[in-house]
């Protein structure tokens, strides 16, 4: 009887040991599988993040390349798709104390715009990068916005343009190809300083790799109109491609006030808002000098 009991105990001891070994082995295998799965998941996550980062970097590189000065590369079209309905909100004279307010409104409505910058408010220059990082286009207006200096000669104009180009480059990493002449290409003020200068400039800027943008709708904010007048001037269904002139300066509180209504008006009519790019509609005025 004692022998039988001993044999039974030995049997159970051996069986228990084998069972524990099997269970432990299965647990270890499961743990290894879990660790391997976590490792693969981390690798896949890292690869996905790197792919997204690479795609973003490539998109940013292409954006910079497409928007930079490239002599000989065509920019824009005077004959946009007539089936499209597009609004280009363009703001001259910034950055300023009103720039962030404008950016907040644009973000609220999910629309993109174009800022033709100056170099006058050095303390506001970081807002150039803020606008660019938010997906808006940066263009060049003038460094000084001093008509007498800018239009003193062809050389004086390009000295000013190169100066504001450097301001943009410091903020966004390159010199944009999109420009707007102070007063537009049709301005006659330049006659006071240099006869025929605009006729020369419109050809020279394009030879150098720039494209100039006038407008086909003027909000009137450059003349100090009220917010209600700005809305009335800005809202039209006359064009399928609207290049709207607005201003971004410390004194343009009425522009900020009118902007939401202007955006809502065009959205309700089914227009799309775009920032200027290399394929955009290019309105040119008739040159008067």
């Amino acid at each position: 009887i004692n022998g039988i009991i001993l044999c039974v105990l030995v049997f159970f001891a051996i069986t228990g040991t084998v069972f524990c070994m099997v269970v432990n082995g299965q647990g270890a295998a499961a743990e290894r599988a879990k660790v391997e799965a976590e490792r693969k998941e981390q690798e896949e996550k890292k690869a996905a993040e790197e792919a997204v980062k690479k795609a973003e970097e490539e998109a940013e590189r292409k954006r910079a390349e497409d928007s930079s000065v490239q002599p000989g590369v065509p920019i824009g079209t005077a004959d946009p798709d007539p089936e499209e309905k597009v609004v280009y909100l363009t703001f001259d004279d910034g950055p300023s104390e009103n720039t962030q307010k404008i950016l907040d409104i644009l973000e609220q409505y999910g629309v993109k715009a174009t800022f033709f910058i100056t170099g006058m408010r050095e303390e506001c220059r970081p807002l150039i990068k803020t606008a660019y990082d938010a997906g808006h286009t940066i263009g060049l207006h003038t460094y000084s916005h001093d008509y007498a200096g800018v239009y003193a000669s062809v050389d004086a104009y390009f000295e000013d343009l190169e100066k504001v180009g450097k301001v943009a480059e410091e903020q966004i990493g390159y010199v944009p190809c999109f420009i707007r002449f102070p007063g537009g290409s049709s301005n006659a003020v330049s006659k006071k300083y240099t006869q025929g200068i605009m006729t020369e400039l419109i050809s020279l800027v394009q030879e150098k790799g720039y494209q100039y943008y006038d407008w086909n709708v003027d909000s009137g904010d450059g003349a100090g109109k009220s917010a209600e007048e700005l809305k009335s001037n800005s809202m039209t269904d006359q064009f399928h491609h609207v290049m709207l002139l607005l201003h971004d300066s410390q004194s343009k509180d009425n522009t900020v006030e009118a902007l939401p209504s202007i955006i809502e008006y065009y959205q309700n009519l089914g227009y799309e808002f775009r920032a200027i790019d290399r394929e955009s509609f290019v309105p040119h005025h008739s040159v008067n000098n």
Side-chain angles (χ1 to χ4, degrees):
I1 292 173
N2 290 337
I4 291 171
I5 293 172
L6 180 60
C7 288
V8 171
L9 292 174
V10 170
F11 171 78
F12 280 110
I14 294 173
T15 302
T17 300
V18 171
F19 176 78
C20 289
M21 291 175 64
V22 171
V23 171
N24 289 339
Q26 291 175 339
E31 185 63 27
R32 287 196 299 272
K34 180 181 177 182
V35 170
E36 180 64 15
E38 290 175 350
R39 183 187 66 79
K40 286 184 177 181
E41 183 181 356
Q42 290 298 320
E43 287 181 352
E44 291 172 356
K45 182 179 178 181
K46 183 178 179 181
E49 290 173 349
E50 290 176 350
V52 169
K53 183 179 179 181
K54 186 176 180 180
E56 290 174 346
E57 290 174 347
E58 177 60 21
E60 184 56 36
R61 184 200 64 77
K62 190 175 187 308
R63 180 188 181 195
E65 180 182 338
D66 289 346
S67 300
S68 63
V69 176
Q70 301 175 63
V73 179
I75 308 172
T77 178
D79 298 305
D81 185 345
E83 299 302 316
E84 294 182 328
K85 296 173 69 174
V86 182
V87 178
Y88 298 94
L89 298 175
T90 65
F91 296 89
D92 291 3
D93 296 354
S96 74
E97 289 78 2
N98 274 322
T99 304
Q100 188 59 59
K101 296 175 186 177
I102 292 170
L103 291 174
D104 290 343
I105 294 170
L106 296 176
E107 182 180 9
Q108 177 187 346
Y109 286 93
V111 303
K112 302 303 180 187
T114 300
F115 292 83
F116 289 102
I117 65 167
T118 70
M120 294 186 291
R121 304 301 297 274
E122 186 172 353
E123 69 277 13
C124 295
R125 288 180 187 174
L127 289 167
I128 298 171
K129 187 176 189 312
T130 301
Y132 181 78
D133 289 346
H136 305 291
T137 292
I138 303 301
L140 308 178
H141 192 34
T142 174
Y143 186 87
S144 64
H145 212 295
D146 173 24
Y147 281 71
V150 170
Y151 293 128
S153 67
V154 169
D155 288 343
Y157 172 80
F158 280 107
E159 286 175 9
D160 186 278
L161 184 64
E162 290 169 6
K163 198 171 180 182
V164 72
K166 289 179 180 177
V167 171
E169 187 174 22
E170 289 169 359
Q171 296 297 322
I172 65 175
Y174 63 89
V175 178
C177 63
F178 315 112
I179 68 173
R180 175 169 283 161
F181 291 115
S185 67
S186 61
N187 86 83
V189 179
S190 56
K191 287 182 181 179
K192 294 170 54 178
Y193 309 108
T194 307
Q195 186 70 33
I197 189 172
M198 289 306 305
T199 300
E200 287 189 69
L201 290 179
I202 61 170
S203 296
L204 289 173
V205 293
Q206 292 180 86
E207 288 176 14
K208 292 177 179 288
Y210 300 96
Q211 178 61 276
Y212 69 97
Y213 294 78
D214 292 315
W215 54 89
N216 57 8
V217 180
D218 183 355
S219 69
D221 63 352
K225 302 290 185 180
S226 69
E228 289 305 315
E229 289 174 311
L230 299 187
K231 295 175 189 178
S232 177
N233 292 341
S234 300
M235 298 174 182
T236 179
D237 59 1
Q238 182 179 355
F239 308 105
H240 272 212
H241 292 261
V242 175
M243 187 72 67
L244 177 58
L245 174 64
L246 299 155
H247 290 80
D248 167 19
S249 63
Q250 185 178 7
S251 62
K252 303 305 179 187
D253 293 333
N254 287 343
T255 303
V256 176
E257 181 181 341
L259 186 56
S261 295
I262 294 170
I263 293 173
E264 289 172 7
Y265 170 82
Y266 284 109
Q267 285 182 332
N268 290 336
L269 291 182
Y271 281 79
E272 177 186 353
F273 287 83
R274 295 180 188 170
I276 290 173
D277 60 25
R278 216 174 188 92
E279 308 300 321
S280 298
F281 165 54
V282 181
H284 283 169
H285 293 168
S286 296
V287 174
N288 293 316
N289 182 27

